[in-house]
Amino acid sequence: MNCSALSSATFLFPLAHTAAPEVAVPRAVSGLAGAWTFDPLVVLGLLGSAWLYRRGTRAHRACLQAAGGTTECVGGLRRWEIVSFWAGWWTLVLAIVSPLHAWGGVLFSAHMTQHELLMLVAAPLLVLGRPLVALLFAIPRGDARQLASFAREPRWQALWRCLTNPLAAWIVHAFALWLWHVPRLYEATLRYEWLHHLQHACFFGSALLFWWALMHGRAGLRGFGAGVLYLFTTMMHSGLLGALILFSDTLVYPAYANTAPAWALTPLEDQQLGGLIMWVPAGLIYVIAALAMLAGWMRAGERPLSWQLAAAIPAARVPAILFCVLCLTGCSDRHREEAAALTGGDPKRGKHRIHELGCGACHTIPGVSGARGLVGPSLEGIADRNYLGGVLANEPQNLMSWLMDPPAHSPRTVMPNLVKSEEDARDIAAYLYTLRVR
Ligand code: HEC
């Protein structure tokens, strides 16, 4: 049971990991061919999911042949669904393993292409391939049944209903999309490979959720109308984001300023091309999906029952829950990610150092045990404060500088020089920036 739960997690989440791989940086077209990114965990996740899906489709075929269509295999996979899964899987390979990934590190427009492939091609194709059904066939029958009964527990059902509510999925997806395009956060993903992967996981994960909710959510007859609306509004807001980037006359993401010229584009042209890709081709995909949904709506008017079929397999809901939980835990620690991105430090280590250095003797510091000192100001909400020690603008560099030598900034302060290394300063600053008012 545990084992199958684990494998279903890799199955759905090939992008989640923490390792920091070496990414080759292509400098010219000739360098592209060799710039594959073989991150062990990504490759493992991809291979694992391919293996499971293939196992599932084989078992399904065997089941059909043996049972001649008894209830066990009903609701199984159709040929076009299988084709769709593999198309989605190869798109994932193209997006995160092929040189496109490394290319995105030096060219904004390539990066946008990669994101659109993840969110608008791979995600819907994989969802159409009904990987959860394949998964249920791939694991032993007993496990599948256990999983199914587990899925019927009321609290899972409630959580699942909440997660696959199209409006919730719409919001999560929109939030992920806009948040990760905030320039500071976006640029941090170019510096830290793990953050970059987190970004991709959020994009891809929230897109899976979005398409899932649209295609398999509590669709029914009314679902189609709502689906068209959700598609249309997503097209509008993501198009707006693309248009904002396209029409900006300053560089939104200056990190590409040095690397874009190697590709015969000025940085601004590169940015405009990226914005255009987000706006037009991506918008087209939403339009096509909306048209398909309209067609389904009309057909459903005639044969509403056929469309209830997918929703009728309760067991198929479990792995999706696991995946959603994974994605939510990945996305929930925003403050931590942001703080780390701002400072380049490790908040967790910072917290340890704060404890070890005894800052708590003078400061009250949320989250640090025993830190209830009253000599200095409480550090609660320090991230949202305007000034440090009343003298320095509250910016990452200033905070680190303050930590390393308070008297240099405020000669009469009683706060001593406790932080000796830059690494400590960075990590401590990272932790302090997780302390927000809200
Ligand atoms: C001996 C007491 C003392 C110790 C120990 C101490 N501080 Fe302070 N700290 C102060 C005082 C007092 C201030 C108020 C600023 C001033 O004096 O100008 C301050 C200010 C600060 C500020 C600016 C807060 C603000 O709102 O302006 C930060 C951040 C800070 N300390 C972090 C730390 C950290 C991290 C440590 C541990 C490495 C630490 N302090 C150790 C006394 C101390």
Side-chain angles (χ1 to χ4, degrees), residues 366-382:
V368 177
S369 63
R372 281 190 285 273
L374 295 172
V375 181
S378 161
L379 299 185
E380 186 178 355
I382 176 86

Side-chain angles (χ1 to χ4, degrees), residues 350 353-363 365 374-382 385-392 394 399 402-404 406 409-420 424-425 428-429 432:
R353 291 302 287 152
I354 289 175
H355 185 68
E356 285 164 3
L357 292 172
C359 314
C362 293
H363 292 286
I365 313 172
L374 295 172
V375 181
S378 161
L379 299 185
E380 186 178 355
I382 176 86
R385 230 166 278 176
N386 289 333
Y387 289 98
L388 299 167
V391 288
L392 282 175
N394 187 0
L399 177 55
W402 168 270
L403 291 173
M404 292 191 68
H409 299 285
S410 178
R412 300 179 57 185
T413 186
V414 293
M415 175 158 159
N417 275 340
L418 287 172
V419 182
K420 303 290 183 220
D424 277 356
I428 290 174
L432 293 179

Side-chain angles (χ1 to χ4, degrees), residues 39-296:
D39 184 293
L41 275 160
V42 170
V43 173
L44 220 67
L46 279 167
L47 291 179
S49 62
W51 181 77
L52 272 172
Y53 194 84
R54 194 169 153 71
R55 204 175 134 91
T57 50
R58 280 188 168 176
H60 174 243
R61 200 173 330 128
C63 174
L64 279 181
Q65 278 162 4
T70 56
T71 46
E72 284 274 291
C73 325
V74 164
L77 299 157
R78 278 162 285 188
R79 189 182 296 271
W80 67 267
E81 289 171 337
I82 297 174
V83 171
S84 164
F85 177 88
W86 289 112
W89 190 86
W90 282 107
T91 310
L92 264 190
V93 173
L94 175 67
I96 54 181
V97 180
S98 89
L100 184 59
H101 179 68
W103 202 10
V106 289
L107 201 65
F108 179 70
S109 45
H111 206 168
M112 290 305 103
T113 309
Q114 179 194 31
H115 290 171
E116 300 310 328
L117 283 176
L118 278 178
M119 290 187 279
L120 286 163
V121 184
L125 285 174
L126 289 171
V127 168
L128 278 176
R130 299 204 294 162
L132 304 183
V133 176
L135 177 75
L136 285 178
F137 278 102
I139 61 180
R141 277 336 259 155
D143 282 355
R145 280 204 197 88
Q146 217 176 335
L147 215 58
S149 61
F150 190 55
R152 276 192 283 268
E153 272 184 34
R155 58 200 164 112
W156 286 122
Q157 292 260 329
L159 177 67
W160 178 239
R161 258 198 303 280
C162 143
L163 285 174
T164 54
N165 175 324
L167 180 60
W170 185 97
I171 292 172
V172 169
H173 188 44
F175 182 72
L177 190 71
W178 282 83
L179 183 92
W180 284 103
H181 281 91
V182 169
R184 270 218 236 175
L185 204 55
Y186 183 98
E187 296 220 317
T189 67
L190 298 174
R191 269 176 290 134
Y192 307 105
E193 191 58 12
W194 65 270
L195 204 62
H196 196 176
H197 281 285
L198 183 75
Q199 179 199 41
H200 286 174
C202 285
F203 280 163
F204 180 58
S206 68
L208 278 180
L209 194 62
F210 176 74
W211 291 104
W212 193 283
L214 282 184
M215 296 181 195
H216 305 309
R218 313 222 123 205
L221 213 48
R222 261 182 315 151
F224 287 109
V228 171
L229 185 70
Y230 289 128
L231 280 167
F232 180 71
T233 46
T234 301
M235 178 185 84
M236 294 297 282
H237 77 69
S238 61
L240 174 69
L241 184 58
L244 283 177
I245 293 173
L246 169 64
F247 292 122
S248 163
D249 45 14
T250 55
L251 285 181
V252 184
Y253 308 112
Y256 290 103
N258 293 329
T259 50
W263 305 90
L265 289 171
T266 68
L268 204 59
E269 283 168 352
D270 176 34
Q271 174 168 304
Q272 289 164 345
L273 185 60
L276 194 71
I277 289 168
M278 283 181 79
W279 189 13
V280 180
L284 255 175
I285 294 180
Y286 286 120
V287 170
I288 292 169
L291 286 178
M293 203 147 258
L294 274 176

